[in-house]
Amino acid sequence: MNEYQHHRTGTALATALVEHHPEDATQVGAAERLISAVDADPWGSVRPSLYETARVLSTAPWLPGGQTRVDHLLREQADDGSWGDGPAPYRLLPTLSAVEAVLAVLQREPGAGGATHRLAAAAARGLAALADLPSAGPWPDTAAAEILVPSLVAAVNERLDRPPVADLPHLGPWHRGSRPAVPGGYHAAAPEAVAGKCRAAGGVPLKLHHTFEGVARHIPDTLLPEADGLLGSSPAATAAWAASAPHSPQRQRAVDELAAVAHRYGGLFPEAAPITVFERLWVAAALARTGLPPAGVPTLRRWVDRIYDTEGVRGTPGLMVDADDTAMAVLVAALVDRPRDPAPLAMFDNGRHYDCYIGEDTGSLSANAHALQSLHAYLRHHPEEAETHRLVMGRVADWIIEHQQPQGHWTDKWHASPYYATERCVTALAPLRGLRRRRAIEAAAAWVLATQHDDGSWGIWGGTAEETAYAVKILLCTSGTAHNRALDRAEAFLRATAGTPGHRHPALWHDKTLYAPEAMIQAEVVAARRLLRTRHETEYLP
């Protein structure tokens, strides 16, 4: 039974399962509570970002709470001197950000005694950790890393070259001329080259607002972009912009918004705020596919009524409209029987597949998978339009299959784990006919079966509930005895994980660094557990 068949069973099946199996009642309750919590949160459920917090500490010393941010950086430094989540390549950018911020504090407040020694020691350990990182990657495809990394290397070296930092003996060899270099794969001239294009165009395009801090030093005051609140929904970009912006009501609004975000996050900052549109769409899509509890349907319909836009949907204020969020709005609308015209997707069609946003450099498989899913879901309500969308659905499906890895999985730039991209692609291809598409799904399922951990989980850096949820959904699109054994083990793992006090989902999602959208992850896990229960429906339905 695929996810669309699950959806068609609707709330009647959900009610029957509640009556006949207490565990499913628990999952229905979890879904209802999650929907209510997301609906009540005006910010979105995501942890603070060390990268963003360090950027604000460095460029906005006038913002209250600086000592909280300093303490956070010192507390979060790893034993090896680095900062950040994930394996070594992912730690490059947050470590650069933290080192530069600590040096900025030392430069502003040289002082003496224990505080200076502690900060200088943290910076020295961070610099040593940078020297120990791979010299040439491969580096993860995180947002604007090509400008953020060389920009921060230059900023770190400038700090090291200027007194009082240059004279601090606590920095060890770093105060005697040793300097971090731009790692292989990045180019020192990239920030200036991008800024040069902005100067030639007479302004900073919207595409660069979210990562404006990477070019801010190269943009003259006369070409600063306009900000209405946070620039590009990013605290780091906003702080860099406010450092150069003249005093004005516009700047004050940005400063007030930074203060509001700091208040929400206890003096720290996430990579984007608020993320409510993005969060609600992903939560709604995950839960609606499993047969929503009746109490949640009106809320999801209200969300989609507010979010869908004929001009396209943006994930957060200040970002560009994009195909990913637009497709998810169309998908959720169809899943909750509020079908909306997929016409806004046409602006992203490049003739081969969908660009995630106008001016995109590298295509997104998950965004195209979401677009394909949304068109299929929409056609369930409007089958008379099948001919209109048939050609684009066919070529997007072909493009997705062409990018399948030899091992059977897919990868994507918005997530570190191939299980996310693979589940999205399999779900998009599952309702479509054709031998090639069926073989692609079977290859993905074989890869999933081959990569299950001994404890029943899946994950690229160790088993996680999130990645296990994606793997479960992939296997549920196919069938077989081996699948059932793997799913039984996965169900046991998810049940055990759900009972672990204080469990935190690891950061696997890509923005500038890794982050973990908690509510979205939890929705995927709840959905997977409900789907695992519904596969047993014949065991307890009358």
Side-chain angles (χ1 to χ4, degrees):
M1 180 181 287
N2 66 38
E3 66 174 279
Y4 294 101
Q5 290 171 311
H6 278 294
H7 173 66
R8 283 198 294 272
T9 61
T11 56
L13 174 60
T15 302
L17 296 178
V18 170
E19 292 173 352
H20 292 271
H21 203 284
E23 185 172 333
D24 200 74
T26 300
Q27 296 311 309
V28 170
E32 290 176 344
R33 289 190 298 274
L34 182 57
I35 291 170
S36 296
V38 169
D39 191 50
D41 186 356
W43 292 96
S45 178
V46 64
R47 297 194 292 269
S49 160
L50 189 141
Y51 166 84
E52 296 280 321
T53 298
R55 292 298 82 232
V56 175
L57 174 64
S58 174
T59 55
W62 34 264
L63 193 70
Q67 189 58 49
T68 296
R69 293 184 271 282
V70 170
D71 292 342
H72 177 71
L73 294 192
L74 294 177
R75 186 169 56 248
E76 291 297 312
Q77 189 171 25
D79 292 341
D80 67 357
S82 69
W83 281 270
D85 295 300
Y90 281 95
R91 292 175 167 262
L92 171 62
L93 189 63
T95 301
L96 280 168
S97 185
V99 167
E100 196 281 336
V102 169
L103 293 175
V105 173
L106 283 169
Q107 203 156 51
R108 291 195 300 258
E109 307 164 17
T116 297
H117 177 82
R118 189 180 179 202
L119 287 167
R125 291 174 58 227
L127 288 162
L130 289 172
D132 288 340
L133 286 173
S135 60
W139 308 110
D141 187 15
T142 50
E146 68 277 8
I147 59 173
L148 297 178
V149 167
S151 176
L152 278 170
V153 170
V156 166
N157 287 332
E158 287 182 14
R159 299 282 187 195
L160 289 169
D161 287 338
R162 294 203 304 260
V165 170
D167 303 323
L168 287 173
H170 304 306
L171 283 175
W174 304 102
H175 87 287
R176 291 190 293 271
S178 184
R179 297 292 179 264
V182 175
Y186 296 111
H187 303 283
E192 167 56 27
V194 172
K197 293 179 180 179
C198 295
R199 294 193 298 269
V204 179
L206 188 57
K207 173 185 174 182
L208 286 176
H209 286 194
H210 184 61
T211 54
F212 177 72
E213 69 272 20
V215 296
R217 299 192 310 156
H218 306 277
I219 300 295
D221 295 353
T222 55
L223 291 184
L224 289 177
E226 293 187 4
D228 184 11
L230 293 186
L231 181 68
S233 295
S234 164
T238 305
W241 174 87
S244 299
H247 289 280
S248 67
Q250 184 187 47
R251 183 182 184 277
Q252 189 58 50
R253 283 196 300 274
V255 171
D256 291 344
E257 191 69 14
L258 277 175
V261 177
H263 178 74
R264 162 63 176 80
Y265 287 91
L268 312 179
F269 296 90
E271 293 207 7
I275 63 164
T276 49
V277 168
F278 175 43
E279 177 181 81
R280 289 176 180 185
L281 289 174
W282 266 247
V283 167
L287 298 179
R289 288 165 170 151
T290 65
L292 278 168
V297 173
T299 301
L300 268 61
R301 287 177 174 170
R302 175 164 46 81
W303 289 353
V304 83
D305 287 345
R306 292 180 178 177
I307 290 172
Y308 175 82
D309 193 321
T310 57
E311 301 298 318
V313 177
R314 64 191 79 235
T316 65
L319 296 186
M320 305 173 70
V321 295
D322 66 86
D324 212 4
D325 288 283
T326 301
M328 289 294 269
V330 174
L331 173 61
V332 172
L335 292 176
V336 298
D337 297 326
R338 279 279 205 279
R340 294 291 188 269
D341 192 345
L345 283 171
M347 76 176 87
F348 306 105
D349 189 348
N350 65 18
R352 187 73 180 88
H353 58 86
Y354 291 104
D355 289 328
C356 197
Y357 52 86
I358 306 302
E360 183 181 41
D361 296 322
T362 56
S364 166
L365 282 157
S366 65
N368 277 270
H370 291 150
L372 193 54
Q373 292 175 41
S374 72
L375 292 172
H376 179 79
Y378 174 78
L379 290 177
R380 288 178 48 243
H381 295 274
H382 292 283
E384 73 280 2
E385 297 186 29
E387 193 61 27
T388 301
H389 301 289
R390 178 178 59 82
L391 289 177
V392 67
M393 292 176 72
R395 57 181 164 83
V396 169
D398 289 344
W399 183 79
I400 288 173
I401 293 171
E402 288 168 10
H403 285 79
Q404 188 172 23
Q405 299 296 311
Q407 300 92 331
H409 65 276
W410 283 269
T411 59
D412 191 62
K413 67 180 181 180
W414 298 123
H415 204 287
S417 174
Y419 294 98
Y420 172 81
T422 302
E423 184 272 321
R424 268 26 188 189
C425 292
V426 166
T427 299
L429 296 173
L432 306 179
R433 297 178 181 177
L435 179 60
R436 189 173 180 230
R437 292 159 193 174
R438 186 171 73 249
R439 285 177 174 170
I441 293 171
E442 290 171 351
W447 170 75
V448 168
L449 289 173
T451 56
Q452 188 173 28
H453 297 307
D454 290 342
D455 63 357
S457 69
W458 282 271
I460 52 166
W461 305 323
T464 70
E466 178 187 356
E467 292 166 284
T468 301
Y470 299 138
V472 161
K473 294 176 185 179
I474 294 165
L475 293 183
L476 287 172
C477 286
T478 53
S479 60
T481 303
H483 293 55
N484 290 332
R485 289 196 298 268
L487 290 169
D488 287 341
R489 295 167 61 208
E491 190 169 14
F493 172 81
L494 290 175
R495 188 185 304 116
T497 303
T500 303
H503 175 74
R504 268 176 40 137
H505 296 291
L508 293 169
W509 294 65
H510 281 182
D511 190 0
K512 301 172 195 177
T513 58
L514 292 173
Y515 72 104
E518 296 285 349
M520 292 158 57
I521 296 169
Q522 191 58 33
E524 297 290 349
V525 174
V526 169
R529 293 191 68 192
R530 289 198 67 194
L531 290 173
L532 284 166
R533 289 311 316 163
T534 58
R535 76 188 173 107
H536 301 308
E537 61 192 53
T538 55
E539 299 173 13
Y540 49 83
L541 281 178

